[in-house]
């Protein structure tokens, strides 16, 4: 209040403006640990419950790949199956998001493909099995949603924004303000209206 009173009616002079183009790449695909972490954060599910739900989605529904993996990458031989996997999950809330990708070429050198970083099993992604969401429990839907959105996100381009910082003075006091202006949503379109990930929160 004292500071507000001090600068009241005084000249406010901006002496520095910096604008920079920034880009945030998509988050990486899920391994089991990362999926358990997000399921706990968003839905308060225990690691054991998440694994149990994943097992059902893998064994019974056959809509997600093997859950017990410590890799967040795919091998090159999975690339030719990506479009089929997109078609399989192109339903309900994912129809538009997946539809945009089906008719586009895959990235020339995808950052999520690295044979050397896959030991026994690749990252968790959707299978080519068509999905029936109404056959799933609430928890199954939640885990499936996390995996599908992350799978879609890695196929979208980086999010681009302009970061602006302003410095100013008034009555001998210094002020600083900064803000971001979205230029291209990129992968964040997959999570629009949702709280997607730690990367987003940290930023």
């Amino acid at each position: 209040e004292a500071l507000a009173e001090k600068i009241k009616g005084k000249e406010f002079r901006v002496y520095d403006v910096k604008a920079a183009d920034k880009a945030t790449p998509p988050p990486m695909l899920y391994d089991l640990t990362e999926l358990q972490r997000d399921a706990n954060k968003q839905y308060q599910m225990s690691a054991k419950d998440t694994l149990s739900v994943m097992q059902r989605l893998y064994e019974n529904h056959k809509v997600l790949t093997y859950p017990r993996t410590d890799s967040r990458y795919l091998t090159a031989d999975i690339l030719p199956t990506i479009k089929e996997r997109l078609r399989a999950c192109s339903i309900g809330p994912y129809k538009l998001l997946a539809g945009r990708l089906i008719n586009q070429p895959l990235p020339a050198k995808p950052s999520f493909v690295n044979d050397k970083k896959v030991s026994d099993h690749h990252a968790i992604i959707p299978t080519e099995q068509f999905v029936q969401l109404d056959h799933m429990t609430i928890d199954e839907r939640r885990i499936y949603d996390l995996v599908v959105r992350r799978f879609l996100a890695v196929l979208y381009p980086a999010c681009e924004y302009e970061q602006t910082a302003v410095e100013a003075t008034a009555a001998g006091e210094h002020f600083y303000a900064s803000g971001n202006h979205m230029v291209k949503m990129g992968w964040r379109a997959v999570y629009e209206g949702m709280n997607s990930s730690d990367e987003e929160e940290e930023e």
Side-chain angles (χ1 to χ4, degrees):
E1 287 172 1
L3 183 58
E5 195 59 39
K6 180 181 176 182
I7 64 171
K8 194 173 180 180
K10 299 292 192 297
E11 184 182 66
F12 196 79
R13 180 169 291 179
V14 174
Y15 66 89
D16 193 26
V17 178
K18 289 191 181 85
D21 293 328
K22 302 267 186 177
T24 308
M28 294 169 68
L29 291 166
Y30 279 124
D31 61 6
L32 178 59
T33 304
E34 190 68 11
L35 179 62
Q36 288 170 323
R37 197 170 73 96
D38 273 7
N40 178 259
K41 192 177 112 194
Q42 292 194 36
Y43 304 116
Q44 293 72 55
M45 291 174 67
S46 69
K48 185 180 175 184
D49 287 344
T50 300
L51 176 57
S52 174
V53 171
M54 264 298 306
Q55 287 288 151
R56 294 201 302 272
L57 290 166
Y58 167 64
E59 292 173 4
N60 303 349
H61 296 280
K62 300 184 178 1
V63 292
L64 295 182
T65 56
Y66 188 73
R68 293 176 187 267
T69 176
D70 60 359
S71 178
R72 303 187 69 181
Y73 292 88
L74 302 179
T75 48
D77 62 327
I78 298 293
L79 273 179
T81 71
I82 294 285
K83 292 293 176 83
E84 202 53 47
R85 292 169 196 268
L86 284 169
R87 287 187 190 94
C89 63
S90 181
I91 56 158
Y94 322 112
K95 192 168 186 177
L96 220 63
L97 294 163
R100 290 175 192 158
L101 297 167
I102 288 170
N103 299 319
Q104 290 180 10
L106 292 170
K109 290 185 178 177
S111 59
F112 54 87
V113 174
N114 191 328
D115 288 26
K116 291 176 184 174
K117 293 193 177 180
V118 179
S119 49
D120 296 331
H121 301 281
H122 59 68
I124 300 167
I125 58 171
T127 64
E128 294 119 305
Q129 174 72 39
F130 281 89
V131 182
Q132 291 180 291
L133 296 176
D134 55 346
H135 288 190
M136 293 183 191
T137 65
I138 291 172
D139 282 346
E140 287 169 352
R141 271 288 285 115
R142 285 171 169 170
I143 297 300
Y144 182 75
D145 184 74
L146 284 174
V147 174
V148 170
R149 286 186 190 275
R150 185 61 65 93
F151 173 66
L152 295 173
V154 302
L155 294 166
Y156 272 78
C159 162
E160 297 176 24
Y161 59 97
E162 185 183 66
Q163 190 175 69
T164 305
V166 178
E167 294 185 68
T169 57
E173 299 288 346
H174 291 261
F175 296 88
Y176 174 87
S178 68
N180 295 336
H181 168 67
M182 187 68 71
V183 177
K184 286 183 184 173
M185 284 284 284
W187 64 270
R188 286 195 191 278
V190 175
Y191 294 104
E192 200 169 7
M194 298 175 67
N195 184 13
S196 69
S197 62
D198 280 349
E199 285 90 345
E200 215 168 358
E201 283 185 9
E202 283 167 15
E203 192 179 321

